[in-house]
Amino acid sequence: MATELYDLTVPVFLRGFKALAAFLDKARAWADEQGIAHDELLTARLHEDMAPLTSQIQRVSDSAKFAVARLGGIEAPAMADTEASFDDLQARIAATVEFLNSVPREAIDGREDADVEVKTPNRSFHFKGLPYLTGFVLPNFYFHMTAAYAILRHKGAPVGKMDYLGGI
């Protein structure tokens, strides 16, 4: 029986984006109540050598959209990484969700042995489909989602574990 890669990708990512969108809204509302400029949260970092909140959301988006595109052999939508507001980040999340919802199950299922190449400015990584998903994509997706959550917690936003988990 083939691994059902669709079930390990699209529903997982959609659940993550639902939680991410909700805790971003909660943080924005809290900032407004406290009189905190949105930019204080949007540009916040956990450490000087880590990316700010906006970039963390962009990387969550990239992890998901490129995963299904690479596994499915389809084109991922281009996104310019210019988000500078909560509304921009929510639009990025919505566009990513729209793309994920457009990917048919048949494009991903059974692709556990597909050759996948990830090119970075400094090198290329070569994977087979299932190890790409389980050893690279999912850890990367959750790393950046966790970093976004941690930035908001660090700044004092009242988001908790259940917000991160999506209120299961």
Side-chain angles (χ1 to χ4, degrees):
M1 181 174 155
T3 304
E4 294 182 354
L5 291 181
Y6 185 92
D7 292 332
L8 298 175
T9 55
V10 174
V12 172
F13 298 146
L14 292 176
R15 185 171 186 271
F17 284 118
K18 181 179 178 186
L20 185 60
F23 69 69
L24 283 175
D25 278 345
K26 191 173 187 179
R28 175 181 18 198
W30 171 80
D32 291 344
E33 290 167 8
Q34 301 298 313
I36 298 169
H38 290 180
D39 199 50
E40 185 176 329
L41 296 180
L42 296 166
T43 62
R45 301 167 187 262
L46 289 176
H47 193 271
E48 64 190 35
D49 68 349
M50 290 182 73
L53 178 64
T54 52
S55 294
Q56 299 299 340
I57 305 305
Q58 292 161 354
R59 299 301 72 80
V60 174
S61 168
D62 287 348
S63 294
K65 71 178 183 159
F66 289 134
V68 297
R70 288 178 180 128
L71 287 169
I74 56 180
E75 190 73 26
M79 296 181 184
D81 292 344
T82 56
E83 294 80 13
S85 70
F86 281 106
D87 286 339
D88 292 345
L89 293 175
Q90 292 291 9
R92 171 78 175 241
I93 290 168
T96 307
V97 165
E98 182 179 346
F99 171 66
L100 294 173
N101 281 324
S102 75
V103 176
R105 171 180 287 278
E106 302 77 44
I108 300 170
D109 279 351
R111 306 265 305 149
E112 63 270 9
D113 292 322
D115 290 320
V116 176
E117 181 179 15
V118 178
K119 294 180 181 182
T120 68
N122 300 324
R123 64 188 279 204
S124 292
F125 299 90
H126 298 273
F127 301 94
K128 292 294 184 184
L130 185 59
Y132 165 65
L133 175 62
T134 60
F136 182 80
V137 172
L138 291 174
N140 201 43
F141 178 84
Y142 283 114
F143 173 86
H144 292 290
M145 187 171 164
T146 301
Y149 166 84
I151 288 168
L152 295 173
R153 285 286 294 161
H154 176 69
K155 296 303 284 183
V159 294
K161 184 176 182 179
M162 293 311 289
D163 295 301
Y164 179 87
L165 293 175
I168 56 172

